[in-house]
Amino acid sequence: MKLDRNVSAIVTGASKGLGAATAIRLASLGVKVALLDLDVEAGESLARQIGGVFCDADVTSDESVERALARARQANGQERILVNCAGVVHAHKAAGRDKLTGAVRHYPMAEYERVIQVNLLGTFRCIAKSAAGMLELDRLPSGERGAIVNTASISADEGQMGQAAYAASKAGVAGMTLPIARDFAGEGIRVNAIKPGFFDTPMLRTGPEHVRRALEASVPFPKRVGEPGEFAQLVEFLLTNDYMNGECVRLDGAVRMSPR
Ligand code: NAD
């Protein structure tokens, strides 16, 4: 798919981090971008900077996503592109002992469900509702109607201690990418996913500095965390290479995560 001002895109989780970098890159290519996120202040500010439209959205809600898509389509027309970046992280052992008191605690189920709701069901919700709109579009000369990129994680392959919910949600995103690509094959909508390693975003920065340094040291080459722009570069490749379909690509500097 050619990326220019004839194409419009939805990017979820676009107020910050990998989604923001993706929105910036797509806008720089002329694509009309709608930024969907819970964070209104950061999203509106970025939308103003890049000439996009911000649409307040919670990917865990049917009604909220439908309202945001309607608003985005009113401003930019039916999207041919969807990039799913909205995501949350939460860490807790399935069951374990408190380091200080020795008390036994298990994973808080409400948090487990929230991670699955946002990362897995939220991604699927946006795919299903966005693709339903793409089906109304005429095909491009390439035969395509649209292209979708999901964000999984290397935790889908090697989740660390405490990552049961996060790894399960991301393995779900990775696992559903091929069957959804197959669902849409007859309609000309491609679906791919990215498994990022460690990227320099607000999500990564929530951890302590020594953890970040340890993460950097664990990356074989380049010995650093990834820049969000490098993620956006791969999104662009997956959108523009018409033969890429049903694939989940690692982007990680060859890192393989240890148990903790
Ligand atoms: P981030 O926290 O910097 O940004 C995530 C964005 O998603 C935020 O703007 C947040 O407001 C939004 N969001 C959260 N819940 C939402 C909801 N219910 N509805 C709408 N928006 C919501 O995180 P990031 O690092 O940019 O991560 C983006 C994606 O990449 C996530 O899916 C994350 O799991 C994945 N990922 C990140 C890394 C990394 O190292 N940063 C590594 C692997 C995978």
Side-chain angles (χ1 to χ4, degrees), residues 88-152:
V88 291
V89 68
H90 182 263
H92 199 289
K93 282 188 184 171
R97 293 175 204 285
D98 187 278
K99 268 186 200 147
L100 294 177
T101 64
V104 171
R105 294 220 173 87
H106 67 72
Y107 203 114
M109 289 311 294
E111 284 302 318
Y112 195 103
E113 282 176 23
R114 185 177 68 95
V115 171
I116 299 291
Q117 280 291 347
V118 177
N119 296 359
L120 178 56
L121 303 184
T123 297
F124 184 73
R125 176 174 289 109
C126 293
I127 293 172
K129 292 183 187 297
S130 178
M134 290 178 194
L135 294 186
E136 304 295 332
L137 291 168
D138 290 336
R139 289 179 190 258
L140 295 168
S142 60
E144 280 175 294
R145 283 203 168 85
I148 295 171
V149 179
N150 300 324
T151 308

Side-chain angles (χ1 to χ4, degrees), residues 13 15-18 37-39 57-60 85-88 118 151-153 166 170 196-199 201-204:
S15 292
K16 294 192 284 286
L18 303 183
D37 205 293
L38 282 176
D39 185 338
D58 178 351
V59 299
T60 66
C85 291
V88 291
V118 177
T151 308
S153 164
Y166 186 72
K170 294 303 187 176
F198 309 128
F199 276 77
T201 69
M203 182 183 277
L204 191 86

